[in-house]
Amino acid sequence: MKNLIIFDLDGVVTSEEAYWDCAGLTLHELLFSPRYWQITHWGDELGWEEPTASTGSTYRRRERQALSVETDLVSVFPNVHSVSFNVRVDGSSYQPATMAQESRVLSRMVFPEWLILSFKARSLNSNWDTCYAAVCLHLIALLASLPDHGATLQPFAPWDTAWLASLRAQIVASDLADTWDILRVQAAWRIQHPFDLPVFHGATGLELFECLDTYASETLGYLVEGVFSRHKLFWRFCRDLFQEWFLGEALYSSTYGHAPTQTGKPGCIFFEEPLLPVEQTRAVLAGLCEAGYTLGIASGRVKQEAEQPLAKYDLLRFFDEQHRGTYDVVTRAEKVLRAQGDTTMLGKPHPFQFQAAVDYERALGLALGTMQGPLGIPFIAVGDSTSDILSGRAAGGLTVAVLTGARSPEARELLLKSQPDFVIEDITKLPALLEEIGDLATIQQLQFERREVAEKLLHLWFTKHMNLVVEHVRLTPKPVSLNSFNGFYQSNGEEYFFKTHVEAHGVLDEYYHSKSLDQAGYNVVRPLHLLREKERQMVIYPVVHWPVMFDLMRAVETGQELPAGIHADTLMEAERVECTRLLQLYAQTFQSLEKPPLQLPPIHQLFWHRLSGERFQQFYVSKMLPLPTGSRPQALSFAEVQECSWTINGVEQTQTLGELVQQARETLDPTRETATIIGHGDAHFGNVFLEDTGEKQRYLYFDPAFAGRHAPLLDVVKPLYHNVFAMWMYFTQEVARDLQLSVKMEGARLIVEHNYRLTPIRRALLQVKQEALLQPLVAWLREQDALPDDWQTILNLALMCCPLLTVDPFDQQKRPAEIGWLGLTQAVQLGNRGIDAWKEQSEQ
């Protein structure tokens, strides 16, 4: 499977300046050439003055039949300090600009950058179309300045020699040649852009051209039809003129088989420069290829014009020839559509161009309607314009916006409004972005707030790391997915279930010892595929349709309807039966006191490694912990919190948090000798189906991320805490709504009062756990002479690690301060007294 990145070129890899020069020069020629409109007035608002000794080369006023321009180029070319030039237009000839500098200046005079960017911000991606939009608006404005608004020039044929002669005659007769002020017209557009008028409402990109005839009709006061639409004669006329400027006389003649209308044009294609220093660009593209990516192109340029500058700077070799969606591909496909009577335009923001860069035949089938469904091949679309983002998203790609092409505040604002999945300054930032978003931890974090983006990332991940052909990915984020994610994907028409545990700052190389559980007799879903590389742990299962215990417990807790035959007593009985079964499995797999193996069991990742490693540091060390709203002070440093004594709901806690943490680091040390069993390690209800065999209901386990041979006391901790106490993690807003919690600092003592209580179903579950598992387990271990003297401390401190280290309690973007303090309070209570406080609550 290929890992595809499809690039727009201009504004991303290549510079658009040469194309913009062509657009401006095309408009300049139409405005001033005796062959076309022959305006001789530039406007009095250029801001240039008569040449003087102090100002140097500047704008010089012209006679009606002669136009002469000299200009200081420093503002346009900062590295050019003293260059001047002369462009002359008289009644019979037009002498084209021949140098890059003069081309740039003349172009920007008539087609300023802000106007160019305003068109691109409205999804006019092709520079031909940007040019055409400017030409049409200028011509309509010019016609509107005629005394009769050009009514006597109907029917309009602005591509026809005779019609153009009639236009020039009216311009001269109306004295517009000397008085029509281009800059005043453009200044009005800057205040009220034509494309923001009601006539264009809801149209973007190529749709704007379908409204131009209507706009002309409203502006001129009479019906205009079939003149300004795209692909009509005037569009082709302007495109040909544009191509003369871009290719130059020699290349244009060899490409099209005839000489250009205006001779002497050198070809702006030869003035092209790379967008970034070519060494940087080359290094980025080479690095992406070395990382296993296949690079493609989705450009508004035709093939020849796309490949020439890339080849010139030794960049073309990085782009796969099978994935080059240039404008030729669009026009070829549109011809097929036209033959069937379909007038759909396939240029951006239509998805076709990115689709074609991925798979042309399938893209054509989608366009023709002979194929259905999504493209099916994941890819990343990198572009600099609104049309790139809209096109890439519509094609199903993950979209990355590059800001190098959005050079005005308006362009940047509209680009961001198109909601790209990610934004970078330039393509040199792309490798780092790909590394970040290719991390499963990133997908886990995005699944709740940006699920569609997370699904695209996962689709790419499956392709890159598991070589899976996946048509569709669907994440099913649940509150229980605190450090994991799961969902379904479809491959070859079959649906599969996937699950992964994401251990930030993990130190173990290998998880998911599911085979040992199966061999030990656990009722466990057997995985179909398993990836166990460090930081790339993924398990693929057949789809299981049994309900998940987490959902069933929550339904009881909130009064929701349960499946037929299931009620609260059913769940408690299933738990009691499973506790008995668990004790049997412990006995069957029991091994007496022994030194731990060199490769430590994964379960220690849940407790000791989190406490001694980066997670504890990240969550707490050097942090300020915000106090509940209205408290004074507003926050306390963790350094002082861990040294404080605690009183919780009137009960003094024996040890400080700092003492408990230090004791846990010693007591939970994975190198100490211990008796072991084979266990799941993380069998909270999010990892348990309630399977109905027809005779009885029993637990069916999955996601054995921390399965293996480890201490039995540690095996019971995660399900005990998460199934009974952790609702503040899963349902933060619901708990916060009813929570009343205060924190007071009196000297070196923290006094916490709160009203958080276990719900009836959680109290019932705690009682079952206590009676059916904890008490029998302790008694059995004592009989085996395998019960540590400090077993109660082990249990309490492992329980403490759950609220302390599963999630960051004080992540203010996810949890209010009251919830953070509830989690920290639980940690202190569990570390000091274990489950005794809640047992007492249940007995009241």
Side-chain angles (χ1 to χ4, degrees), residues 435-605:
E435 184 175 350
E436 177 187 350
I437 65 179
D439 189 338
L440 291 175
T442 301
I443 299 173
Q444 194 277 332
Q445 293 165 10
L446 289 173
Q447 66 174 326
F448 295 105
E449 297 179 359
R450 301 176 67 194
R451 192 179 83 178
E452 182 181 351
V453 175
E455 288 171 342
K456 291 178 186 177
L457 290 175
L458 188 56
H459 198 172
L460 291 162
W461 193 94
F462 279 136
T463 300
K464 183 173 183 180
H465 297 293
M466 298 189 76
N467 201 34
L468 289 175
V469 180
V470 176
E471 292 100 36
H472 181 71
V473 176
R474 175 168 55 92
L475 282 164
T476 54
K478 294 185 177 182
V480 73
S481 304
L482 298 171
N483 291 295
S484 64
F485 61 81
N486 61 70
F488 302 87
Y489 74 81
Q490 189 176 59
S491 179
N492 296 321
E494 295 291 329
E495 192 170 51
Y496 300 89
F497 180 77
F498 62 84
K499 179 80 185 275
T500 184
H501 182 92
V502 179
E503 186 64 26
H505 313 303
V507 299
L508 302 183
D509 292 331
E510 192 173 278
Y511 298 84
Y512 290 105
H513 297 274
S514 56
K515 187 175 181 179
S516 63
L517 287 183
D518 188 27
Q519 292 173 342
Y522 283 83
N523 185 32
V524 60
V525 183
R526 296 173 179 83
L528 300 174
H529 302 286
L530 183 61
L531 183 65
R532 292 163 64 176
E533 298 176 10
K534 183 174 173 60
E535 298 180 354
R536 296 188 190 128
Q537 311 283 335
M538 183 66 71
V539 189
I540 308 300
Y541 297 101
V543 175
V544 176
H545 297 287
W546 302 117
V548 177
M549 277 294 294
F550 181 89
D551 298 333
L552 295 173
M553 287 287 291
R554 186 60 178 170
V556 171
E557 195 165 44
T558 56
Q560 300 174 43
E561 184 177 355
L562 289 164
I566 298 178
H567 44 77
D569 290 344
T570 306
L571 302 182
M572 292 306 98
E573 180 59 26
E575 173 67 24
R576 191 175 296 276
V577 170
E578 193 61 28
C579 287
T580 301
R581 173 65 176 156
L582 202 56
L583 290 170
Q584 294 172 354
L585 292 171
Y586 287 172
Q588 292 170 11
T589 60
F590 177 77
Q591 289 184 2
S592 58
L593 294 177
E594 58 181 18
K595 289 185 177 182
L598 293 176
Q599 185 176 10
L600 296 177
I603 198 170
H604 291 292
Q605 183 71 70

Side-chain angles (χ1 to χ4, degrees), residues 616-819:
F616 181 79
Q617 296 283 324
Q618 183 186 57
F619 284 3
Y620 301 106
V621 175
S622 302
K623 291 288 188 68
M624 297 296 293
L625 307 186
L627 287 167
T629 305
S631 300
R632 292 292 181 272
Q634 294 183 335
L636 296 172
S637 71
F638 181 72
E640 57 185 320
V641 167
Q642 67 177 347
E643 298 301 323
C644 289
S645 300
W646 289 65
T647 298
I648 301 172
N649 286 347
V651 179
E652 292 187 7
Q653 307 299 309
T654 305
Q655 294 177 280
T656 68
L657 180 58
E659 291 169 342
L660 291 170
V661 168
Q662 182 56 39
Q663 187 179 20
R665 287 173 176 157
E666 298 169 1
T667 303
L668 301 179
D669 188 337
T671 63
R672 66 183 287 179
E673 291 186 353
T674 182
T676 62
I677 50 82
I678 292 177
H680 185 287
D682 193 27
H684 61 75
F685 281 159
N687 290 333
V688 177
F689 294 106
L690 185 62
E691 181 183 36
D692 191 339
T693 66
E695 299 178 358
K696 61 180 179 179
Q697 291 168 327
R698 62 176 184 172
Y699 286 0
L700 175 63
Y701 297 101
F702 68 103
D703 192 32
F706 302 95
R709 178 165 288 282
H710 48 245
L713 287 173
L714 293 184
D715 195 60
V716 303
V717 168
K718 287 287 282 186
L720 172 59
Y721 177 79
H722 283 270
N723 295 343
V724 176
F725 304 108
M727 297 311 106
W728 65 270
M729 292 185 188
Y730 302 133
F731 306 105
T732 296
Q733 300 307 317
E734 291 89 335
V735 172
R737 184 181 58 233
D738 301 321
L739 179 64
Q740 297 175 16
L741 185 146
S742 64
V743 180
K744 296 179 182 179
M745 188 80 163
E746 292 187 358
R749 179 171 293 276
L750 281 168
I751 301 174
V752 181
E753 297 286 339
H754 68 82
N755 67 340
Y756 182 73
R757 299 293 183 270
L758 300 181
T759 60
I761 191 68
R762 305 295 169 181
R763 293 201 300 268
L765 181 62
L766 177 59
Q767 184 176 351
V768 173
K769 286 280 190 184
Q770 174 73 8
E771 295 174 355
L773 183 60
L774 294 179
Q775 291 176 355
L777 175 60
V778 169
W780 176 71
L781 288 172
R782 185 176 287 117
E783 290 175 4
Q784 304 303 313
D785 197 24
L787 184 68
D789 293 337
D790 59 350
W791 70 268
Q792 186 70 66
T793 302
I794 294 172
L795 190 60
N796 291 355
L797 294 175
L799 284 166
M800 176 193 73
C801 289
C802 295
L804 193 68
L805 296 166
T806 300
V807 297
D808 181 353
F810 294 98
D811 182 342
Q812 296 184 65
Q813 294 184 344
K814 297 179 180 178
R815 299 172 189 88
E818 289 82 355
I819 291 293

